Amino acid sequence: MNVSEFERTKPNKTYSKITTAITKYEKIIMELPLMDDEDAVKVEMAADFATELQEIKKSFLQGE
């Protein structure tokens, strides 16, 4: 399958789920008040998840 064929038939639901998950974790990063160490861990984990999902999205868009 060449790249243009992949782009034409790319699974839109998968792309949407990746984007929704990224948005979810970025919202946690921006809006969770840091009251204690547990909150800091949650924010750090959300940041890690968002970064990994961005890499998955990038790979998905490249058709890898």
Side-chain angles (χ1 to χ4, degrees):
M1 175 186 309
N2 63 37
V3 174
S4 60
E5 183 180 347
F6 176 78
E7 286 296 320
R8 187 174 56 75
T9 61
K10 184 173 17 191
N12 293 323
K13 288 182 182 180
T14 302
Y15 179 81
S16 177
K17 288 178 181 182
I18 293 169
T19 302
T20 300
I22 292 170
T23 302
K24 172 186 169 183
Y25 291 115
E26 287 177 345
K27 183 177 179 183
I28 291 171
I29 295 165
M30 300 302 289
E31 296 180 3
L32 186 70
L34 297 178
M35 303 294 280
D36 55 21
D37 288 341
E38 187 175 322
D39 292 337
V41 170
K42 289 177 186 176
V43 170
E44 186 176 349
M45 287 179 66
D48 289 343
F49 293 154
T51 300
E52 289 180 28
L53 286 166
Q54 288 286 2
E55 289 298 316
I56 291 169
K57 183 177 178 180
K58 181 180 172 184
S59 179
F60 179 82
L61 290 173
Q62 292 175 350
E64 299 178 332

